[in-house]
Amino acid sequence: MKQKTKTQVMFGKVGMYVLLGIFLVISIFPFYWMLVGSTNSSDKMFTSPPTLSFGGQFMENLINLDNTVGIGRVLFNSLFVSGTYVVLALIVSSTAAYAFAKFDFKGRNVIFTILILSMMIPYQATLIPLFQMMSAYGLLNTYFALIAPQLCYPFAIFLMRQNFLAFPSELLESARLDGAGEFKIFLKIVLPSMKPALAATSIFLFMYQWNNFMWPLVAIRTQDMYTFPVALSTLSGVSYTDYGQMMMGISIATVPIMIFFLVLQRHFISGMLGSAVK
C-alpha cells in the first residue's frame, strides 16, 4: 500500500481545517445574526444587501420588549419553572431508573417497555385530557400546572437506567451486608458516582422545559405567568412584527441555556459517553 507523502498529509490537514472552519461559520452565523438583529430596528433586517453590523438600537429594543411582555417577570417565570422542574424530575427519574436497573421485581421489563413505548405517543394527544384534569382541580395558570405534568420523563429514566446498569452490583451487596439501608446506599454510594449522568440528564430536562411551548400556551391565562416561548409568540403580530424586539427576546432566552450547558459541559460529555459504552 502506497504511503502518503508529507505534502499530501499537510494538504489533507489544511483541507480538513478549512472544511471545519466553514462548518463553524455556518453554525455560528445564526447566533451572530440574532445579536445583530437585537441591536437594529426592524426595517434594517430586510434591507438588500442585509445589515451585518451592530446598530445602536440595543437599549430601545430592550425597553420596548420590557414594555410589551415584562421581560423581568418572564425571565423569573422561566428560570423558576425550569429550575424546579429539573430538580424534581431528576429525583423522579433517578429513583425510578435505579429501581429498574438494580431491583428484580415482577413485571419490571413489561413496565419499562410500556414506559419507553409511551415516548411514541404524540404530545398533542395528551393536551385535552391534561387540560381537563388541571381545570377540574383548579390548577390552571399556576406553577404546579407548568411543572408537574412531565416530571416522569421517559427519556430521562432511560438515560439514567443505562448508567445505573454499569454500576457494580457487588458494591450494593457489600453495603447491604454491612447493614446499610437502601436509601443510604442510593444517596451515599450510588448517586455520587453518577454525577456525569445527572449532569447530562439535567441538560436534557432543562432544555425541554425551557423550550416547552405547547402546554404552557394552553395552561397559562394571564401575562404575569408567561414563560419565554409563550411571551415570544405574542411578539408576532398579524399586520406588523417588531423583529428588533423579537431578536432581543430570543437573545435573552438563549443566554441561560448556553450558561447551563457550558457549566455542565464536561460532565455532559462524560455522561453521554458512559451510557454509550454501556
Side-chain angles (χ1 to χ4, degrees):
M1 186 175 180
K2 187 177 180 180
Q3 294 183 346
K4 293 182 178 180
T5 63
K6 291 184 179 180
T7 304
Q8 290 175 324
V9 173
M10 183 186 67
F11 276 110
K13 289 183 177 180
V14 170
M16 180 182 66
Y17 286 124
V18 170
L19 187 62
L20 290 175
I22 293 174
F23 281 117
L24 178 64
V25 172
I26 294 174
S27 301
I28 292 179
F29 182 76
F31 294 96
Y32 176 76
W33 174 252
M34 174 185 70
L35 294 175
V36 168
S38 67
T39 62
N40 284 287
S41 59
S42 186
D43 57 338
K44 287 187 177 181
M45 298 190 63
F46 300 101
T47 58
S48 182
T51 302
L52 296 178
S53 59
F54 291 97
Q57 299 285 117
F58 180 85
M59 288 305 302
E60 183 176 343
N61 288 336
L62 181 60
I63 293 173
N64 291 337
L65 178 66
D66 186 54
N67 292 334
T68 303
V69 298
I71 193 63
R73 180 68 183 184
V74 171
L75 183 60
F76 170 79
N77 289 339
S78 293
L79 289 174
F80 178 78
V81 170
S82 299
T84 306
Y85 173 80
V86 169
V87 174
L88 296 179
L90 272 182
I91 296 173
V92 173
S93 61
S94 60
T95 52
Y98 179 67
F100 281 124
K102 295 303 180 182
F103 288 93
D104 188 11
F105 54 90
K106 188 175 181 179
R108 179 183 66 173
N109 294 332
V110 174
I111 297 174
F112 184 72
T113 301
I114 294 174
L115 181 70
I116 297 301
L117 290 176
S118 67
M119 296 172 63
M120 301 181 184
I121 301 175
Y123 182 62
Q124 292 79 1
T126 65
L127 290 179
I128 294 178
L130 189 58
F131 176 84
Q132 291 175 337
M133 181 175 67
M134 291 295 174
S135 178
Y137 288 101
L139 294 173
L140 292 176
N141 204 49
T142 63
Y143 290 124
F144 181 88
L146 297 176
I147 296 170
Q150 292 296 320
L151 285 180
C152 182
Y153 193 52
F155 179 75
I157 296 175
F158 169 78
L159 182 61
M160 289 300 299
R161 175 182 176 270
Q162 296 305 107
N163 285 273
F164 281 130
L165 286 174
F167 191 87
S169 299
E170 292 78 8
L171 291 179
L172 304 181
E173 295 298 331
S174 299
R176 293 188 183 109
L177 291 174
D178 290 337
E182 293 299 334
F183 279 103
K184 184 176 182 180
I185 293 173
F186 179 69
L187 295 175
K188 300 293 185 179
I189 300 176
V190 179
L191 277 188
S193 65
M194 292 292 158
K195 289 181 181 179
L198 291 172
T201 307
S202 298
I203 292 175
F204 280 111
L205 293 172
F206 185 84
M207 291 183 63
Y208 168 78
Q209 186 63 271
W210 186 267
N211 295 321
N212 193 7
F213 170 71
M214 187 65 70
W215 172 241
L217 180 66
V218 174
I220 292 174
R221 295 182 175 179
T222 58
Q223 183 173 339
D224 64 316
M225 290 296 295
Y226 279 176
T227 57
F228 259 113
V230 179
L232 293 177
S233 69
T234 63
L235 298 178
S236 180
V238 177
S239 58
Y240 175 74
T241 300
D242 190 336
Y243 288 98
Q245 283 190 54
M246 184 171 289
M247 288 297 184
M248 175 61 68
I250 296 173
S251 300
I252 297 174
T254 305
V255 172
I257 296 180
M258 296 179 65
I259 294 175
F260 195 81
F261 178 79
L262 290 175
V263 170
L264 299 178
Q265 180 184 15
R266 180 172 59 87
H267 295 299
F268 171 77
I269 296 174
S270 300
M272 294 305 297
L273 287 178
S275 61
V277 171
K278 178 58 185 177

